[in-house]
Amino acid sequence: MIEKRKASRIPVSMRVDCQGIDPIAFGYAQNFSLQGMALVVHYQNHHDISPNESVVLKFILPGSATALSLKAKITRISQASDKETLIGVQFSDLSELAFKELSFFMATQST
């Protein structure tokens, strides 16, 4: 299988609120990069979610005090269990602050 990702991902465990899915869902990130993340969302009706759907992700990176709110596009959806859905997202329109926060976090996790 050919790897399509352009950026390396690191494992992470943090709560993520996902707005744009009705009702608002929350979940936990499994891994993440400067381009996106994979998260397990506590949302049973994964058929109500579509690829290319826009969402807003709200989270605080481990070790940070800065709350981030990032726009993202859903790129992948699969049922993880009866009550959980695995969602892959790609970040869009990252602000300079968000890019700096994500870059710093990635650099500190890679060492």
Side-chain angles (χ1 to χ4, degrees):
M1 183 174 193
I2 298 172
E3 181 66 46
K4 295 181 182 178
R5 292 187 183 107
K6 295 178 184 175
S8 61
R9 291 187 174 238
I10 59 168
V12 67
S13 180
M14 66 182 171
R15 182 187 165 115
V16 178
D17 291 327
C18 187
Q19 297 178 332
I21 298 174
D22 191 28
I24 295 173
F26 76 93
Y28 292 90
Q30 289 186 324
N31 63 55
F32 118 121
S33 74
L34 290 175
Q35 293 184 329
M37 70 171 61
L39 57 150
V40 176
V41 177
H42 300 279
Y43 186 75
Q44 296 175 18
N45 299 324
H46 75 284
H47 298 292
D48 295 344
I49 307 169
S50 302
N52 296 318
E53 194 170 333
S54 295
V55 293
V56 175
L57 306 174
K58 296 186 176 203
F59 57 92
I60 299 173
L61 292 167
S64 175
T66 304
L68 295 175
S69 179
L70 306 181
K71 293 179 185 176
K73 178 178 71 171
I74 295 175
T75 57
R76 182 174 52 109
I77 305 161
S78 62
Q79 194 68 32
S81 71
D82 290 343
K83 296 182 181 182
E84 296 177 326
T85 301
L86 179 65
I87 299 176
V89 299
Q90 181 178 13
F91 301 137
S92 56
D93 301 323
L94 281 180
S95 69
E96 187 175 336
L97 171 65
F99 183 78
K100 286 180 180 179
E101 286 285 326
L102 297 176
S103 297
F104 180 77
F105 180 75
M106 292 285 294
T108 59
Q109 299 303 303
S110 299
T111 56

